[in-house]
Amino acid sequence: MNIVLFGLRCVGKTTIGINLSDLTNRVFFDTDSILEKRESRRILEIISEKGWDYFRIKEKEVIKDVSKEGNAVISLGGGALMDEENVNSLKESIFVLLKADLNTMKSRMKNDTPRPSLTNKNPESEIEEIMEKRMPVYEKIANIIIDTTDLSINEICDKIISEIEKRGVA
């Protein structure tokens, strides 16, 4: 069974995914990184050159490919699960929603690589709008919800593993 990490920007999906894959002996896939490799350019460039619709089509292809793995940790881009087809592709997975408080996400964004705008606002302003729109959808999909705000990487991974074990999923 795959472990799918998802959530808004800057909640730790990739960092946690790498560490969780090591701890659970699973292969790690970051769908954004795979897409960048396939396209030979950064997400920001893909979207500015070809648009969001093209990006979402290519993202869907990547998700279909990695969903076939069966024993992986998969880190998804923030908007991936807003598309029901992507949710269905990953339906045999355990979904782990990583979240953080607004101030933590804004602070982490300042140290992060530039990302494409989702609303044509600056990233710190748009996060509130995106959070309002996505969190209700995310919470319906999630099997496990972890707040990463005040936890270390190891504490987050331990919580995820503990929650998975409670559910009897290895």
Side-chain angles (χ1 to χ4, degrees):
M1 174 168 291
N2 292 324
I3 301 169
V4 175
L5 303 178
F6 70 104
L8 297 171
R9 293 176 172 174
C10 297
V11 294
K13 299 180 298 277
T14 300
T15 303
I16 300 307
I18 291 167
N19 286 275
L20 187 62
S21 71
D22 288 342
L23 291 169
T24 59
N25 278 334
R26 295 170 186 262
V27 65
F28 174 68
F29 296 113
D30 181 296
T31 58
D32 282 350
S33 294
I34 294 168
L35 182 52
E36 287 180 335
K37 284 179 186 147
R38 287 184 181 181
E39 293 289 313
S40 300
R41 67 190 102 191
R42 309 276 309 157
I43 300 288
L44 191 58
E45 296 168 315
I46 296 167
I47 291 167
S48 62
E49 291 172 20
K50 299 198 174 186
W52 278 104
D53 289 343
Y54 177 86
F55 171 79
R56 293 294 180 205
I57 289 166
K58 293 302 178 182
E59 177 182 59
K60 196 174 293 192
E61 292 171 5
V62 171
I63 290 170
K64 281 182 182 172
D65 290 344
V66 299
S67 69
K68 296 172 186 168
E69 178 65 32
N71 192 36
V73 174
I74 301 169
S75 171
L76 298 177
L81 294 183
M82 297 304 287
D83 184 318
E84 197 170 326
E85 195 174 326
N86 290 333
V87 177
N88 289 333
S89 291
L90 295 161
K91 69 180 178 229
E92 299 300 319
S93 305
I94 188 152
F95 290 92
V96 180
L97 170 59
L98 300 178
K99 63 183 193 173
D101 70 40
L102 193 56
N103 290 331
T104 299
M105 286 188 291
K106 286 181 179 182
S107 173
R108 291 175 183 171
M109 280 181 180
K110 290 176 183 164
N111 300 320
D112 200 23
T113 57
R115 302 195 189 202
S117 175
L118 300 167
T119 63
N120 294 321
K121 297 178 182 172
N122 73 55
E124 287 83 22
S125 298
E126 77 179 3
I127 194 69
E128 292 177 54
E129 184 177 327
I130 298 303
M131 181 184 275
E132 189 175 306
K133 185 185 298 182
R134 291 183 181 175
M135 286 309 288
V137 175
Y138 288 172
E139 289 171 351
K140 286 179 185 171
I141 295 168
N143 302 111
I144 298 169
I145 300 174
I146 307 285
D147 188 331
T148 67
T149 303
D150 295 317
L151 299 176
S152 70
I153 294 166
N154 288 335
E155 289 171 323
I156 296 164
C157 289
D158 288 347
K159 277 187 161 232
I160 293 169
I161 291 167
S162 174
E163 289 297 323
I164 290 171
E165 287 172 352
K166 280 182 195 174
R167 288 163 174 76
V169 181

